[in-house]
């Protein structure tokens, strides 16, 4: 088994696994996940070289953080062997980006994660807050937490790409270390590409999530609440069907598409079973050793051509 590739994350000095462990499913967001399964999944991920774990107090109403904490403890390895990101500002109860809530939030998160510090603390889904508050209040509060050693680095996350330039243009260079973008670097939408030179010039590390477009590029299809247009859903379904008819897995192809760009430090994928971990790691190792199935990829790109980059404008506001 080839070792999982590690990539540098901006100017942080961190080296993150090309595939990152998305822990939202551990909060039983997509269906129930037993604690034993969660721990086994994380153990397998770590064994296969995944060292980067991403969560939020919003996922499963704090359950994801608790599960992740238990899983990390069960690894019984030095704290420096893994990298943990959590978030603040978005909760089951709603949004609160105030300095006071952020301070309370990190203490609660650390307790649930059973950690003394996180490596990255993100402001979560900032398009739902006031971006000026993020700049003038939230990020300064995070800088304070960084000085106190509760987080090593600071990040921002959200769906619309212009939120990143808005914030980064208004804070001193080096204030924000990382951005987490989702649904904008996959086969059906690669608009994050246009932003990469800008992010690089700012010295900001890039993490991309949802390579499967929150279920659009999977055989079971998206959840009921998925915000994509009918046109986008049906094109993705056609692409899935096409791959299936050729005996190919669209999930593997879609993940490889996202992994192929080394400017993106880590691609976060939600995982809640050992078999999912093995499938995701195989996608990376096969990409390194065998390369991508270019023929099927071209066919999928042709099917998705008419709906390329037609992602919905804002994140999902459902509590």
């Amino acid at each position: 088994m080839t070792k999982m590739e590690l990539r540098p994350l901006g100017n942080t000095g961190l080296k993150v696994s090309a595939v990152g462990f998305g822990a939202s499913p551990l909060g039983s967001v997509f269906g129930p996940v037993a604690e034993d399964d969660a721990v086994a999944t994380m153990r397998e991920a770590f064994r296969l070289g995944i060292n980067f774990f991403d969560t939020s107090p919003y996922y499963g109403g704090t359950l994801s953080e608790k599960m992740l904490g238990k899983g990390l403890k069960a690894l019984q390895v030095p704290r420096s062997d893994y990298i943990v990101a959590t978030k603040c500002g978005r909760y089951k109860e709603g949004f609160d980006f105030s300095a006071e809530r952020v301070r309370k939030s990190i203490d609660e998160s650390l307790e649930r994660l059973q950690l003394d510090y996180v490596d990255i603390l993100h402001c979560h889904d900032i398009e739902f807050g006031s971006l000026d508050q993020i700049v003038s209040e939230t990020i300064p509060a995070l800088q304070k937490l960084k000085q106190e050693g509760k987080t090593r680095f600071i990040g921002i996350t959200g769906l619309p790409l212009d939120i990143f330039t808005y914030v980064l243009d208004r804070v001193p260079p080096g204030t924000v270390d990382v951005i987490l973008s989702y649904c904008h670097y996959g086969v059906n939408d690669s608009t994050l590409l246009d932003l990469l030179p800008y992010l690089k010039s700012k010295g900001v590390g890039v993490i991309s999530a949802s390579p499967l477009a929150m279920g659009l590029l999977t055989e079971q299809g998206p959840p009921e609440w998925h915000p994509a247009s009918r046109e986008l859903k049906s094109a993705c379904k056609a692409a899935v069907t096409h791959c299936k008819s050729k005996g190919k897995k669209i999930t593997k192809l879609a993940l490889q598409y996202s992994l192929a760009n080394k400017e993106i430090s880590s691609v976060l994928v939600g995982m809640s079973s050992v078999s999912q971990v093995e499938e995701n790691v195989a996608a990376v190792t096969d990409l390194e050793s065998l390369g991508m199935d270019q023929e099927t990829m071209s066919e999928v790109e042709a099917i998705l051509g008419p709906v390329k980059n037609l992602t919905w404008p804002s994140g999902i506001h459902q509590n």
Side-chain angles (χ1 to χ4, degrees):
M1 188 98 188
T2 0
K3 210 55 191 137
M4 167 74 62
E5 178 195 359
L6 297 178
R7 298 179 181 176
L9 180 62
N11 294 338
T12 62
L14 297 175
K15 282 194 154 57
V16 290
S17 47
V19 165
F21 190 105
S24 73
L26 300 188
S28 296
V29 177
F30 302 100
V33 179
E35 192 179 310
D36 291 354
D37 293 334
V39 170
T41 303
M42 288 179 59
R43 214 185 276 260
E44 183 66 355
F46 187 76
R47 188 181 75 81
L48 295 176
I50 293 175
N51 72 346
F52 180 39
F53 298 87
D54 173 271
T55 184
S56 163
Y58 173 63
Y59 301 148
T62 75
L63 183 60
S64 170
E65 284 188 330
K66 287 175 195 151
M67 290 285 225
L68 189 64
K70 286 173 179 168
L72 292 170
K73 208 179 172 83
L75 293 177
Q76 297 183 307
V77 295
R79 172 67 182 88
S80 54
D81 286 3
Y82 52 83
I83 294 161
V84 178
T86 193
K87 309 184 183 81
C88 61
R90 181 166 204 181
Y91 310 96
K92 194 173 68 203
E93 309 77 57
F95 294 90
D96 187 346
F97 293 102
S98 67
E100 187 189 1
R101 185 66 184 101
V102 166
R103 294 195 65 81
K104 214 172 123 223
S105 189
I106 185 63
D107 289 337
E108 293 166 356
S109 288
L110 291 174
E111 195 175 317
R112 286 190 286 262
L113 290 162
Q114 304 181 52
L115 297 174
D116 298 325
Y117 67 91
V118 291
D119 298 279
I120 303 163
L121 182 57
H122 291 289
C123 304
H124 195 179
D125 289 343
I126 60 173
E127 70 265 33
F128 291 110
S130 141
L131 294 182
D132 292 324
Q133 182 191 28
I134 300 291
V135 169
S136 62
E137 183 180 345
T138 319
I139 289 173
L142 293 185
Q143 286 178 286
K144 234 173 147 175
L145 294 173
K146 189 174 177 176
Q147 285 157 9
E148 291 167 24
K150 288 181 179 180
T151 183
R152 291 172 68 195
F153 301 104
I154 293 169
I156 49 179
T157 86
L159 186 77
L161 294 174
D162 56 5
I163 60 176
F164 299 121
T165 45
Y166 187 95
V167 171
L168 291 169
D169 283 343
R170 287 166 179 76
V171 296
T175 308
V176 172
D177 304 290
V178 190
I179 67 118
L180 193 172
S181 161
Y182 71 100
C183 290
H184 285 304
Y185 197 79
V187 202
N188 62 303
D189 185 322
S190 55
T191 40
L192 178 62
L193 212 49
D194 301 336
L195 203 59
L196 292 177
Y198 168 88
L199 293 167
K200 203 174 180 146
S201 75
K202 295 274 185 189
V204 172
V206 182
I207 300 159
S208 180
S210 302
L212 311 178
M214 303 194 309
L216 286 175
L217 301 173
T218 60
E219 291 184 2
Q220 65 270 31
E224 273 302 296
W225 48 260
H226 202 291
S229 65
R230 198 178 301 142
E231 192 193 359
L232 178 55
K233 281 179 181 167
S234 69
C236 289
K237 198 172 179 174
V240 171
T241 308
H242 175 74
C243 287
K244 219 171 163 177
S245 72
K246 291 186 73 175
K248 308 280 183 184
K249 275 194 106 73
I250 191 146
T251 45
K252 180 178 184 176
L253 213 56
L255 180 52
Q256 288 183 332
Y257 179 95
S258 300
L259 286 165
N261 190 329
K262 310 266 176 156
E263 298 277 299
I264 292 166
S265 301
S266 190
V267 178
L268 286 178
V269 192
M271 309 185 215
S272 56
S273 70
V274 168
S275 60
Q276 283 172 352
V277 170
E278 285 166 354
E279 220 172 278
N280 293 330
V281 172
V284 191
T285 48
D286 289 357
L287 184 61
E288 295 292 304
S289 55
L290 308 168
M292 207 185 291
D293 175 353
Q294 285 302 348
E295 185 193 314
T296 310
M297 180 58 83
S298 306
E299 292 161 357
V300 165
E301 288 189 291
I303 295 169
L304 295 175
V307 294
K308 179 87 175 174
N309 299 339
L310 288 184
T311 293
W312 47 101
S314 171
I316 297 159
H317 196 170
Q318 40 126 214
N319 282 324

